[in-house]
Amino acid sequence: QVQLVESGGGVVQPGRSLRLSCAASGFTFSSYGMHWVRQAPGKGLEWVAVIWYDGSNKYYADSVKGRFTISRDNSKNTLFLQMNSLRADDTAVYYCARDLTMIVVAMGYWGQGTLVTVSS
Amino acid sequence: EIVLTQSPGTLSLSPGERATLSCRASQSVSSSYLAWYQQKPGQAPRLLIYGASSRATGIPDRFSGSGSGTDFTLTISRLEPEDFAVYYCQQYGSSPGWTFGQGTKVEIK
C-alpha cells in the first residue's frame, strides 16, 4: 500500500534552514507528481510546492518562493523540501502528498506530517 | 490567483441529517480540477472527491460532489458520527498553483 513518511521537522531559529524528507513506498515513485502542503497550528491547509514526476518542473506558493526548494531523488524514492530563511509564520505541520494518478490532479495520498517550529 | 470561499464556516447538525457545503471560486474553475478533502483532528487530510464529482476509492456513497464554473457543493446525505470533521475544497489552476478553501467545520449539534 502507498506509504509516505515525513521526517526532518523540529525547532529552528528564525533565519536558519531546515531540510524535510518524505520517504515513499508501495508505488512507483518516479511516476507521480509530489507536493508539500502545510498547516499552521489551528489553521487551514496551504499548498507549498509541487514537483513533476521526473523533476522537470517545480512550482511554489508565493509565500515560499525564493526561500524553499522542492526536489526528489527517484533512485531513493524520496522527496525533499529545503527551507531557507525561515520565519515564524513558516511554523506548521508539513505534509507530503502524492497525485492521485498520473492524470488526476488531486492529492490522493498523504503522509502524517512533520512539525516545524520556527522560534528563537 | 483563484480564491476559494467556503460556506458556512461551521455547520451544526445531528447524525442522520443532510449536510450541504459550498465552495465558491473567484474565477471559473475547471471541474476536472476541483477536489474535496476531509480532515479529522490530529490526522492528515483525506481525499473524498476529485473532478468535482468522482468519489475517491473507499469513500461511502453518502458523499457526493457537484457543481461547475464558480460554484461547487459537497453533500453528505446522512451524517454518520465519523463524518464530523473539517472539509476543504481545493482547485488547481493556472500559474500553476493549487489553492484550498478556508474550510467548513461540521460539528455535532
Side-chain angles (χ1 to χ4, degrees):
Chain A
Q1 72 283 18
V2 174
Q3 193 167 10
L4 300 169
V5 180
E6 301 93 339
S7 61
V11 179
V12 61
Q13 294 179 326
R16 302 298 290 266
S17 299
L18 205 61
R19 189 195 200 200
L20 305 183
S21 299
C22 171
S25 61
F27 65 100
T28 304
F29 181 69
S30 60
S31 295
Y32 294 89
M34 297 293 297
H35 302 257
W36 286 100
V37 175
R38 69 184 181 182
Q39 186 170 36
K43 303 298 184 182
L45 301 171
E46 180 187 15
W47 172 76
V48 172
V50 63
I51 185 168
W52 259 224
Y53 68 99
D54 58 357
S56 60
N57 288 292
K58 307 173 186 181
Y59 300 99
Y60 300 90
D62 287 343
S63 57
V64 306
K65 203 173 294 183
R67 300 187 300 123
F68 289 12
T69 301
I70 189 171
S71 62
R72 64 192 297 160
D73 185 337
N74 284 346
S75 68
K76 296 183 178 179
N77 294 341
T78 305
L79 175 72
F80 301 101
L81 184 68
Q82 178 67 43
M83 303 186 296
N84 298 332
S85 303
L86 282 161
R87 310 184 305 218
D89 62 358
D90 294 318
T91 294
V93 173
Y94 285 75
Y95 297 100
C96 65
R98 194 203 89 177
D99 280 338
L100 180 62
T101 73
M102 288 180 273
I103 299 173
V104 175
V105 185
M107 297 167 192
Y109 299 90
W110 297 66
Q112 282 306 301
T114 187
L115 176 61
V116 172
T117 302
V118 183
S119 173
S120 54
Chain B
E1 177 188 328
I2 295 178
V3 176
L4 299 178
T5 302
Q6 292 186 240
S7 62
T10 301
L11 200 50
S12 299
L13 295 169
S14 301
E17 290 193 293
R18 181 184 188 90
T20 303
L21 287 66
S22 173
C23 176
R24 180 162 291 178
S26 59
Q27 304 172 41
S28 184
V29 172
S30 168
S31 295
S32 299
Y33 300 143
L34 195 288
W36 290 91
Y37 300 82
Q38 176 194 66
Q39 188 179 34
K40 297 179 181 179
Q43 296 186 17
R46 176 174 71 148
L47 177 66
L48 297 176
I49 301 287
Y50 63 92
S53 60
S54 298
R55 272 188 302 276
T57 302
I59 301 303
D61 60 8
R62 64 180 181 272
F63 290 92
S64 63
S66 63
S68 64
T70 60
D71 289 297
F72 298 88
T73 300
L74 175 70
T75 301
I76 310 171
S77 59
R78 295 174 315 278
L79 282 164
E80 297 288 340
E82 62 268 27
D83 299 336
F84 292 92
V86 180
Y87 293 83
Y88 296 93
C89 59
Q90 177 213 41
Q91 70 87 31
Y92 160 71
S94 61
S95 292
W98 284 252
T99 54
F100 289 93
Q102 83 278 18
T104 290
K105 182 180 182 180
V106 178
E107 65 175 22
I108 300 177
K109 186 174 182 180

